[in-house]
Amino acid sequence: GGDGDDFWTPGAKPSGRRVKVQVHKKIYKEFTDLRIVQEIGAHKGAVWSMKFSLDGLYLASAGQDEIVRIWQVREGHGNRGDGGDPSSGSAGSATFFHQKPYRLYGGHKADILDLCWSKTQFLLSSSMDKTVRLWHISMNECLRVFSHTDFVTSIQFHPVDDKYFLSGSLDEKARLWSIPEQTVVDWVNVHEMVTAVCFSPDGKKAVIGSYKGKCRFYSVEGNQFEYITQMDVKNTRGKNSRGKKITGLQYMPGVERFLLVTSNDSRIRMYDGFTLCCKYKGHRNANSQIASGFSPGGGFVACGSEDGSVCIWSTINTFIPSVNPFYTGYRSDKNASCEQFLAHDDIVTSAIFAPLSDDVTARVSRNLGIAPPTAAAEALVKPSLKRLGLGGKTKADQEREDAQRAGDMAMKAAAAVGQTIVTSGFSGEIRVFENIGLPIWL
């Protein structure tokens, strides 16, 4: 192979070229054939938020230029591509999105900070103009405006009843809104600027992340905030022993237990309930509002970085404790085992997985006779042999075995095949990367 140095670099034309993926502290590699398949000059200025619709057919993006743009996934890429003219766009069906936006939503008067879709294709956008706006994919005009007293940093639709949404603002309040009544049903003051909010997947709890690194949990059953508990997201000692801004909150798809928390100490933490079970590191997120996110089956976590790269961690080995779990529970050491690739010349403001299209899962399982990626989620909660007292091994033996077992599981799951990662940058471009290679031992 004389193609060793023929890798794509930011600034070059995309056209399906290979992207160099570096592996840190892993004995196997999962993103073995990553390619850049599309680039869109989407916005003027930074993109602050990108979100796929729940059916995977549309991507919303927004940021500094105050306009929400909706991009339609091309037929064959989405779950059930509706329409879409294959003749538009020079690269034919190789591109992931139609090159021109499907909708342009104007109305905000300052930077847009967050976006959220409902399962019925409504979209919320929140802004530094102190408003949240409601849109629907079938219409060009704004349907509702929800006024606040300060920047609205974060929003989320209620996952079960999307007549309600949660908003977080720099005025230190989180609010539960009724869309039909256009009123605040209940609110809570957390006495610190709110920088991230989310619901648990069943909609029964709200999590509120603050500027000083606190995570507060509330019950919101009956649409009333009731305080449950608070976590300090920080190290116990050292320079990060003061909490840093929470920049993202996300529950693992389909698993109520696991919450992913991104913060400005360049760490991502996974909590099982209220217990820290893993810290991911390798990216740089010291002053940006970068959030990490799960792949569709929860098998991977991806995060943008201030150095222009994207880091990807496998969650499978997170949950293989390295010492006897009977005594220590989770290994809450740092998981620095990641794969990393350069995506932009400046800050990667967003790096998100596309919802997996049916055909990819089908293709993978046909070829390899393996379970779809949600197997990763099941693997997380299996008991370990060690807990059953079945091993009298040294810690080093155990760690070697764990690494081997994580690798075996990763090989079997081949969860990275067909994964698509969409990234956005400080200068307004959106790029699409797709992994077509199977995992390999290194």
Side-chain angles (χ1 to χ4, degrees):
D3 62 3
D5 43 15
D6 192 30
F7 285 106
W8 172 89
T9 50
K13 291 246 184 304
S15 66
R17 283 174 64 189
R18 292 191 67 177
V19 179
K20 194 181 186 94
V21 177
Q22 287 171 315
V23 184
H24 304 284
K25 299 189 182 177
K26 276 174 81 170
I27 58 172
Y28 58 96
K29 181 175 186 176
E30 294 178 274
F31 288 77
T32 49
D33 193 353
L34 187 72
R35 307 206 168 223
I36 175 153
V37 293
Q38 192 171 9
E39 177 176 321
I40 302 173
H43 291 267
K44 293 185 177 65
V47 177
W48 298 133
S49 181
M50 284 199 303
K51 297 281 169 72
F52 273 99
S53 60
L54 277 57
D55 62 6
L57 294 182
Y58 300 98
L59 174 80
S61 64
Q64 251 170 350
D65 67 7
E66 305 170 10
I67 302 207
V68 180
R69 285 177 175 79
I70 309 291
W71 309 91
Q72 189 179 20
V73 175
R74 276 182 179 278
E75 197 163 354
H77 284 288
N79 279 350
R80 10 161 242 287
D82 308 332
D85 171 16
S87 64
S88 61
S90 54
S93 62
T95 61
F96 190 82
F97 298 108
H98 290 278
Q99 197 75 21
K100 292 202 166 60
Y102 181 77
R103 296 253 181 248
L104 293 173
Y105 290 144
H108 281 296
K109 296 175 180 62
D111 293 37
I112 297 165
L113 301 178
D114 198 17
L115 298 163
C116 184
W117 290 91
S118 77
K119 44 185 193 272
T120 49
Q121 305 287 42
F122 283 96
L123 178 73
L124 289 168
S125 55
S126 76
S127 165
M128 285 164 61
D129 67 9
K130 308 179 185 177
T131 70
V132 172
R133 285 174 176 263
L134 178 72
W135 320 85
H136 191 267
I137 190 69
S138 62
M139 285 172 266
N140 275 319
E141 48 285 329
C142 175
L143 306 175
R144 292 271 157 94
V145 179
F146 303 88
S147 294
H148 293 64
T149 58
D150 206 333
F151 296 176
V152 187
T153 50
S154 183
I155 39 177
Q156 202 191 356
F157 271 107
H158 191 292
V160 181
D161 183 353
D162 53 24
K163 290 196 295 293
Y164 297 95
F165 73 90
L166 184 62
S167 71
S169 167
L170 293 190
D171 70 0
E172 308 190 340
K173 295 187 179 78
R175 294 169 174 84
L176 187 63
W177 291 84
S178 159
I179 292 174
E181 292 162 26
Q182 220 164 337
T183 54
V184 176
V185 185
D186 198 20
W187 57 274
V188 66
N189 188 336
V190 298
H191 305 291
E192 288 179 12
M193 291 189 279
V194 177
T195 51
V197 297
C198 83
F199 281 104
S200 59
D202 60 8
K204 290 178 179 171
K205 286 199 296 284
V207 190
I208 300 169
S210 84
Y211 188 76
K212 292 186 178 164
K214 294 206 172 45
C215 249
R216 289 188 169 209
F217 291 79
Y218 291 84
S219 160
V220 285
E221 291 189 77
N223 296 329
Q224 302 252 279
F225 285 101
E226 274 185 51
Y227 178 75
I228 301 173
T229 189
Q230 170 177 301
M231 295 186 317
D232 281 318
V233 179
K234 62 185 178 64
N235 291 351
T236 42
R237 53 184 182 273
K239 66 180 192 320
N240 288 328
S241 57
R242 279 215 312 277
K244 297 283 200 296
K245 179 171 72 165
I246 309 275
T247 58
L249 294 166
Q250 194 191 356
Y251 275 89
M252 178 178 276
V255 186
E256 302 282 329
R257 286 167 51 178
F258 300 114
L259 174 67
L260 199 61
V261 182
T262 319
S263 51
N264 276 159
D265 55 0
S266 298
R267 294 288 180 273
I268 299 163
R269 290 170 177 83
M270 180 99 80
Y271 291 88
D272 177 354
F274 310 120
T275 308
L276 176 65
C277 53
C278 192
K279 268 192 285 199
Y280 299 99
K281 67 172 201 170
H283 64 302
R284 191 177 152 71
N285 180 24
N287 0 48
S288 313
Q289 190 75 19
I290 302 174
S292 59
F294 286 105
S295 61
F300 299 99
V301 168
C303 193
S305 175
E306 290 167 357
D307 62 11
S309 67
V310 172
C311 289
I312 305 164
W313 298 265
S314 168
T315 61
I316 290 181
N317 47 0
T318 303
F319 298 92
I320 299 177
S322 60
V323 289
N324 191 335
F326 197 73
Y327 296 113
T328 57
Y330 285 112
R331 130 182 166 194
S332 65
D333 61 354
K334 299 184 190 69
N335 183 338
S337 312
C338 66
E339 300 187 27
Q340 188 172 19
F341 65 93
L342 203 60
H344 294 266
D345 282 324
D346 40 40
I347 298 174
V348 178
T349 53
S350 210
I352 58 175
F353 285 92
L356 263 187
S357 49
D358 299 338
D359 48 352
V360 171
T361 317
R363 185 179 81 218
V364 172
S365 48
R366 259 203 317 280
N367 290 356
L368 301 161
I370 54 162
T374 43
E378 284 162 31
L380 305 186
V381 287
K382 292 260 169 63
S384 90
L385 299 173
K386 201 76 193 260
R387 176 172 292 175
L388 308 171
L390 299 178
K393 296 189 262 321
T394 69
K395 190 171 172 201
D397 288 342
Q398 186 64 41
E399 283 179 347
R400 261 200 302 281
E401 215 169 279
D402 287 346
Q404 181 74 25
R405 184 162 37 162
D408 286 334
M409 285 165 73
M411 295 295 150
K412 201 142 85 234
V417 180
Q419 292 285 3
T420 299
I421 297 174
V422 183
T423 65
S424 63
F426 222 61
S427 7
E429 32 345 70
I430 291 177
R431 292 186 173 136
V432 184
F433 300 86
E434 187 178 357
N435 178 53
I436 54 178
L438 286 166
I440 54 168
W441 291 103
L442 295 177

